[in-house]
Amino acid sequence: MRNKPRAFRVAAALAAVVALSACTVGDNSSTVDGKQEVTFLTFETPNLTPGYWDAAIKRVTAKNPDITVKKLVAPTADGRTAYAKQLLQSGQFPDVMIAVSPAGFAEAGNLYAWQPDELKDFLYPTANPINGKYYQLPANTQTIPPIYYNKKMFADAGVTATPKTWAELLDASAKLKAKGMTPFVIGGGKDGFASSMILSGLVSVDLYAKTPDWLTKRRSNQAKFADPDFEKALGKFADLAAKGYLDKSAVSRDYAATEQAFLDGKGAMYPMGNWFAANADTKKPGFEIGVFNVPTEDGTVVAPAYTGGGMIVSAKAKNLDAAKKFALAFQLDKEQLDASVKADGLFPAIKGYTLPSDVGPVFKAGYELYQQAQAQEAVVHAFRWETADDGLLPGMADKVDAAAQDLITGRRTPAQAAAFLDTEWSKAG
């Protein structure tokens, strides 16, 4: 699937960024025109365009004229943590990073630990602890993944209700396939998470609903990927591929192309994080989009979600106070929060925050699903997306993606995929 090893590609991208930069991160200068400089690592997606980040930075610096920000961009949307590692190893660790997993960085003393008074404005200030400390601002909640669907395709295939049980999902998929439609749009390529979304949902709604601390148990070797409950989720995922409900050739398609394939009507269902709602509402394809939770065996409501994803700050930033000030100002600014809702479909986890009145129908539908799950106390962690003490070991998210791709293509059986994950876990530990 890949022509060159990941490390080579990331290193090459790093070299390109440094070469093109007028002022590298490694420069000794910590001020620009008398202002305190902060380096800020971002990433780009179809939702989060260069213009989105530039406008956000401008809003914050306009209110904090003593700070100037140098933007860096990760070479891939899903490779930002690996890229941050490359920058750290080359002595160019950014001052501020967004949506970069703190695992590994924090334990090595590379990150600033936020203090309780600095987290007072966040709804879930104790999210994602690492050894009892908090390194990532718990800025927003994301449901990962709801399943978006093409209402016209469902109607044309005779699917009259959104599936609530796994059997109903299989029945809907069979009807869609019988009509010559691709049931699920999936991807992969350089953005491996697009391959593992359904698997993430299955582990979350089937295993985590029963054993919410399963990953904590895995960290203490009280559980294994080869255990029956986890392997069952792998088996259900592999069954979708075996039945032809997943397009095996699509695992080389990157995230942007995967999203576009769904918007172009090339498949009926699209399992993706709630950030997709932003583009669903703005790009407005020629069909109506609905959304439902990943079905459970018995139809009970379970919603996988992750709260976090915010800024982390280098403990060794040249202008540490400025870096902290920028990070908090960015995450708490009302205009920025509204922009994140509209551009990336996020659910801000900020006290007193109210949604903009003009959010779109797909966003509203997904947000209502989340609120219903909250009311029923049916929100669980989103497998693969957790961070900190209850998350995967560093590097394991990529291994989950690889296992998912192998199940889709048939290169591994569920038992072999489970054994692979246990072996890689041992290496990562």
Side-chain angles (χ1 to χ4, degrees):
M1 183 183 70
R2 294 168 176 152
N3 294 325
K4 297 177 181 176
R6 183 185 187 90
F8 179 91
R9 292 186 293 105
V10 173
L14 168 62
V17 170
V18 172
L20 291 172
S21 175
C23 173
T24 70
V25 186
D27 282 351
N28 292 324
S29 173
S30 60
T31 61
V32 175
D33 295 331
K35 299 179 180 182
Q36 292 185 309
E37 184 181 56
V38 172
T39 54
F40 176 32
L41 177 62
T42 67
F43 62 100
E44 293 172 0
T45 71
N47 299 16
L48 303 178
T49 63
Y52 168 87
W53 294 113
D54 292 341
I57 292 168
K58 185 176 180 180
R59 280 194 297 271
V60 175
T61 54
K63 296 177 181 178
N64 298 276
D66 57 323
I67 297 174
T68 185
V69 175
K70 178 177 175 54
K71 183 182 72 171
L72 302 174
V73 181
T76 68
D78 199 36
R80 50 191 179 267
T81 298
Y83 186 57
K85 290 178 181 177
Q86 291 287 328
L87 291 170
L88 176 64
Q89 291 165 4
S90 63
Q92 302 180 94
F93 198 48
D95 299 325
V96 180
M97 293 145 277
I98 192 166
V100 168
S101 172
F105 297 116
E107 293 89 336
N110 293 306
L111 297 182
Y112 171 75
W114 295 100
Q115 301 304 301
D117 64 311
E118 294 171 322
L119 300 175
K120 66 182 184 302
D121 294 314
F122 297 87
L123 284 173
Y124 308 107
T126 58
N128 306 313
I130 296 180
N131 297 326
K133 296 183 179 180
Y134 305 96
Y135 296 90
Q136 187 167 41
L137 293 176
N140 56 72
T141 297
Q142 297 167 304
T143 50
I144 312 173
I147 297 178
Y148 297 92
Y149 70 100
N150 183 320
K151 290 188 175 183
K152 183 178 186 305
M153 284 187 170
F154 266 44
D156 290 347
V159 181
T160 58
T162 56
K164 291 182 173 56
T165 68
W166 188 249
E168 289 171 353
L169 182 68
L170 293 177
D171 180 66
S173 299
K175 289 178 178 177
L176 289 160
K177 187 171 184 290
K179 290 289 187 178
M181 305 174 196
T182 300
F184 286 96
V185 173
I186 60 168
K190 63 185 177 66
D191 303 308
F193 67 93
S195 298
S196 64
M197 275 290 180
I198 302 173
L199 178 59
S200 295
L202 284 169
V203 173
S204 299
V205 304
D206 285 348
L207 177 54
Y208 284 7
K210 181 168 58 175
T211 312
D213 61 343
W214 185 88
L215 202 46
T216 301
K217 293 180 183 296
R218 183 65 190 88
R219 277 179 167 256
S220 60
N221 287 319
Q222 298 177 55
K224 300 286 186 182
F225 292 104
D227 289 347
D229 285 340
F230 193 93
E231 195 170 318
K232 182 180 179 181
L234 294 172
K236 290 171 72 172
F237 181 66
D239 185 54
L240 293 178
K243 286 182 165 66
Y245 302 156
L246 310 179
D247 181 2
K248 297 179 181 181
S249 67
V251 295
S252 62
R253 182 168 55 196
D254 68 15
Y255 169 52
T258 303
E259 178 180 284
Q260 193 59 50
F262 177 70
L263 293 172
D264 289 342
K266 294 181 180 179
M269 291 179 280
Y270 182 41
M272 186 49 62
N274 65 284
W275 52 83
F276 168 68
N279 271 358
D281 283 325
T282 56
K283 292 188 175 180
K284 295 181 181 178
F287 55 88
E288 190 176 354
I289 296 175
V291 59
F292 59 93
N293 290 317
V294 174
T296 56
E297 287 287 341
D298 61 3
T300 56
V301 173
V302 179
Y306 166 73
T307 296
M311 305 262 197
I312 57 176
V313 171
S314 169
K316 302 171 185 176
K318 292 188 179 78
N319 298 309
L320 180 57
D321 287 342
K324 293 191 296 178
K325 184 178 180 181
F326 170 74
L328 286 168
F330 187 101
Q331 302 279 213
L332 297 174
D333 179 72
K334 166 65 173 168
E335 191 174 353
Q336 168 54 27
L337 292 170
D338 288 350
S340 73
V341 168
K342 295 178 180 180
D344 211 28
L346 302 180
F347 304 160
I350 307 299
K351 292 178 181 177
Y353 176 76
T354 56
L355 293 172
S357 60
D358 57 346
V359 294
V362 180
F363 177 92
K364 284 182 181 178
Y367 190 65
E368 287 172 2
L369 284 178
Y370 173 65
Q371 289 183 310
Q372 291 166 11
Q374 273 190 313
Q376 297 179 43
E377 297 184 350
V379 177
V380 299
H381 287 309
F383 170 69
R384 184 206 175 279
W385 297 85
E386 312 102 316
T387 58
D389 288 348
D390 55 1
L392 290 167
L393 293 177
M396 280 302 298
D398 287 343
K399 304 305 179 184
V400 170
D401 297 340
Q405 292 181 10
D406 286 346
L407 290 169
I408 293 167
T409 60
R411 286 195 294 263
R412 282 193 171 100
T413 65
Q416 290 169 336
F420 164 74
L421 290 173
D422 279 325
T423 298
E424 294 300 322
W425 185 275
S426 297
K427 294 177 184 177

